[in-house]
Amino acid sequence: MMITIKQLSLLAAFSLVLPACSQQQNQQQAPVDLVQQDLVSYVNPLMGTDSKFSLSNGNTYPAVAMPWGMHFWTPMTAAMGDGWTYKYRDDTIRGIKQTHQPSPWLNDYGAFSLMAVTGELKFEQEQRASWFSHKAETSGPDYYSVYLADYDVTAEVAPTERAAQFRFTFPDNQHSYILLDAFDKGSKVQIIPAERKIIGYARNNHGGVPGNFHNYFVLQFDKDFELSHTWGDNWALQQGSTQSEGQHVGAIIGFKTKKGEQVQVKVASSFISPEQAELNLQREIGKDNFEQTRSKARASWQAELSKIRLHDQDLDQVRTFYSTLYRVLLFPRKFYELDAKDQVVHYSPYNGQVLPGYLFTDNGFWDTFRAVFPFFSLMYPELNSQIMQGLVNTYHESGWLPEWASPGHRDVMIGSNSANIIADAYMKGVRGFDIDTLYQAMKKNAEVDAGRPVKSVGREGVNYYNQLGYVPYDSGIHENVARSLEYAFADFNLSQLATALGKTDDAALFLQRAHNYQQLFDPQSGWMRGKNQDGSFQSPFNPLKWGDAFTEGNALHYSWSVFHDIAGLKQLMGGDQAFVAKLDQVFEMPPLFDDSYYGFTIHEIREMQIVNMGNYAHGNQPIQHMLYLYNYAGQPWKGEARLREVMDKLYAATPDGYAGDEDNGQTSAWYVFSALGFYPVTPGVPQYVLGSPLFDKAVLSLPNGKQLTISASNNLADHPYVQQVQFNGQTQTQSWLSHQALLQGGELQFSMGAAPNQNRLAGPDAAPYSMSTSH
């Protein structure tokens, strides 16, 4: 019988929809690869946007941006100043704004927005809001489009690093307008009709800026203005005016339009000067039209996403992977610009001066030290070097290392985690920055209390910690156990770095302090517990109590924060079996909690409670490494099953696609690493602990030009268990991979199965690094 090309196509299509049982019957068949070349199309920036104060499914907004760009753009469904600027379930849009917001909890700075209206002039934010539908919305990293139904206008935006192009498609109307809202807390607009321009500045912020902070903007239109208005404070319309300055001002330009007429706006801004804003506009857009800008943005994203190329048959998981990878590549934000001589310069949010060199911002190291910066150390060492040099500049300009910068020091979160990202970079071979200055800065954090600009910088309670080995529960310093545990890990990284730099006395001192986690382990309860100045443990003590001695978690979450010495922690808990039993307990108990410290059920608690995973709180960072700890007790198979469950259950490229705050790429970086099959449990140590890879094949283009191919045979949905791992033909007898080995590239092959291989990697010699057992 003759089979036609069409019949072959139908047979191929039919083979893709065969039931799973057919795949299981023929497991040796080569996996089907459905991933197309255009990786940007798999990214959904709306992932995580179905969030609110009481429940976070990501707390994200759809960022239209270049990787690590200085300015992002996003639609606004909320009022000016609302940290939840875009909520998926909202019905109206008030404008598309330039945003620098790293988190709704930190809010925004230097923001302004554009909006188009037709017919009756409406410029106040409530009145001008237009109904919209997700059915008439397109959201990508490189492009955003929305139909403003009340005005029959389609608004589009495409980004560069420091600029963007807008395109508004208007109806046939005698009264068409574009509005520039420069926002509150100080703003200025000037309309220049002869040049088709609007210039001005926005000064809104929520802290972390000097008194001379401005975001200077310039807008270049391609259509003459037939009318110009501004508004002043209290939304006072100033007809015919071309200039306004006050607490909250804006600009309105108007013209007649024909059906389908497109008005384009080129926009750039600068934290340095109006002249620099114009320079940014000319350098990054120049004579490019909208499509050229969009094409360049898409090419930039394609280049970055292509550094990890997946081959798989589950496109939902592919979409989730590239959507999370997009989030990892957004922060920290570049806070530097190129001057007229193409020299790297930056406005300092620490001292208000314009200075040479790199600066990055909008990052909380309490979150991102865990996986984001280790990802940079592996895949982006050049970028990481620039970030490190930016930390040097921060230290010179403020006297301290940042812990939560947005754009300058913000009094948020705890710890001394700048030490961890610096040591991680250096210990993994990243160079090209002033490590000696950074080491001095790390030591200052560990020794000096006076002069800290905010409590989150340096170490709150450092004198107690250095004298007693912990921050006391009765010292009046909240979250004292969490602080002490994080300081001990920072001390470990100081010791690692001191050893590498030949500072043997310092290395010994900080290595001794790295054991301080032992001070807070309570053998009676088996958990970390607050300790008073006299050495007695806090009483009463409820391990399920969130907050108090801990940060956004309880004893069941924070007791695992001994990243550098899991073997030592394991012995405190009673050895392998007792350790595993406590890991199991977290998952197998009901999601009980005590929220009395807060006085209400905070969103992190609610996110733990509702996912039916016991007390495992993946939606917040302190526990995210926990699933890999089974490897330290010879039972990696338990972690493998639960890792796959978390990836399958708690992540999706949908508006409710996270199980809690995304937080500057950290919750996404956990997924990216875990889906590849390994994770950096101990930043500062050049190792990755093995897990359960999600995809049939992933090809990593490493920064040294080599390739690492990760493949997993028999990798079905119900095959989460690793049977064997081979790296370049050699069977892995350890449950970790070295950083240097991965950088050599080659073939990392997992064999998967439906049943656990309980004999694999069961011996103590297979365990990853621990301070107590490694020499």
Side-chain angles (χ1 to χ4, degrees), residues 37 67 205 259 295 306 333 412 472 503 604 644 674 758 774:
Q37 177 68 28
N205 66 86
K259 183 178 180 180
S295 177
S306 295
R333 186 194 312 282
V412 183
K503 302 177 185 297
E604 290 92 345
R644 190 67 69 87
S674 296
Q758 298 188 22
S774 299

Side-chain angles (χ1 to χ4, degrees), residues 560-701:
W560 313 106
S561 291
V562 187
F563 307 92
H564 55 296
D565 198 15
I566 299 301
L569 176 65
K570 184 174 62 175
Q571 293 311 306
L572 289 176
M573 289 183 169
D576 284 351
Q577 294 308 313
F579 181 79
V580 168
K582 294 189 81 66
L583 288 169
D584 289 344
Q585 178 186 348
V586 173
F587 289 94
E588 293 169 357
M589 67 182 297
L592 304 173
F593 60 87
D594 174 354
D595 63 5
S596 59
Y597 173 77
Y598 301 104
F600 69 103
T601 305
I602 62 172
H603 75 92
E604 290 92 345
I605 296 176
R606 194 67 74 200
E607 290 141 19
M608 176 201 76
Q609 180 194 30
I610 63 177
V611 296
N612 193 22
M613 298 184 77
N615 242 262
Y616 179 70
H618 186 82
N620 209 24
Q621 282 68 39
I623 206 170
Q624 287 181 351
H625 67 295
M626 175 187 159
L627 294 174
Y628 289 90
L629 302 189
Y630 286 101
N631 290 49
Y632 294 75
Q635 297 188 35
W637 53 274
K638 282 195 171 183
E640 291 159 8
R642 287 180 169 141
L643 282 164
R644 190 67 69 87
E645 180 186 8
V646 170
M647 285 186 274
D648 288 344
K649 186 175 179 179
L650 302 187
Y651 287 84
T654 57
D656 64 344
Y658 293 99
D661 283 358
E662 199 289 313
D663 283 330
N664 304 142
Q666 168 54 31
T667 301
S668 291
W670 182 95
Y671 183 91
V672 168
F673 267 121
S674 296
L676 294 175
F678 52 88
Y679 187 79
V681 169
T682 312
V685 172
Q687 284 186 4
Y688 305 89
V689 180
L690 289 168
S692 177
L694 193 58
F695 297 104
D696 294 334
K697 184 178 177 182
V699 180
L700 279 62
S701 296

Side-chain angles (χ1 to χ4, degrees), residues 100-102 106-107 109 207-209 361-363 404-410:
H100 310 99
Q101 179 171 300
L106 276 290
N107 216 302
Y109 62 90
V209 297
T361 191
D362 293 318
N363 218 252
W404 231 123
S406 182
H409 294 307
R410 298 288 293 275

Side-chain angles (χ1 to χ4, degrees), residues 349-416:
Y350 303 102
N351 63 20
Q353 299 177 34
V354 177
L355 297 165
Y358 292 107
L359 202 73
F360 291 77
T361 191
D362 293 318
N363 218 252
F365 299 155
W366 183 85
D367 302 290
T368 56
F369 85 83
R370 305 165 195 269
V372 173
F373 279 93
F375 184 80
F376 294 163
S377 293
L378 177 64
M379 296 297 293
Y380 290 95
E382 183 178 356
L383 170 77
N384 211 8
S385 177
Q386 295 173 0
I387 295 171
M388 294 301 118
Q389 191 57 38
L391 295 184
V392 173
N393 293 331
T394 297
Y395 182 65
H396 286 320
E397 293 159 25
S398 75
W400 296 89
L401 289 170
E403 298 297 337
W404 231 123
S406 182
H409 294 307
R410 298 288 293 275
D411 197 8
V412 183
M413 303 310 293
I414 66 157
S416 189

Side-chain angles (χ1 to χ4, degrees), residues 49 299 437:
T49 59
T437 294

Side-chain angles (χ1 to χ4, degrees), residues 295-359:
S295 177
K296 288 179 179 180
R298 195 171 189 86
S300 178
W301 277 109
Q302 177 71 13
E304 301 305 336
L305 298 174
S306 295
K307 290 179 179 176
I308 304 179
R309 177 163 288 282
L310 301 180
H311 302 265
D312 206 77
Q313 56 189 319
D314 189 331
L315 292 187
D316 284 340
Q317 290 180 336
V318 169
R319 292 185 183 99
T320 302
F321 183 89
Y322 286 115
S323 297
T324 56
L325 182 57
Y326 147 80
R327 290 282 167 193
V328 177
L329 304 182
L330 286 174
F331 294 100
R333 186 194 312 282
K334 295 175 180 178
F335 205 73
Y336 64 86
E337 305 175 53
L338 300 176
D339 67 12
K341 297 180 180 180
D342 286 334
Q343 299 297 305
V344 174
V345 294
H346 65 270
Y347 166 80
S348 173
Y350 303 102
N351 63 20
Q353 299 177 34
V354 177
L355 297 165
Y358 292 107
L359 202 73

Side-chain angles (χ1 to χ4, degrees), residues 246-269:
Q247 283 301 300
H248 177 195
V249 304
I252 304 165
I253 55 105
F255 28 65
K256 302 180 184 68
T257 56
K258 298 177 181 178
K259 183 178 180 180
E261 183 176 352
Q262 293 183 328
V263 177
Q264 300 194 49
V265 190
K266 299 176 180 179
V267 188
S269 66

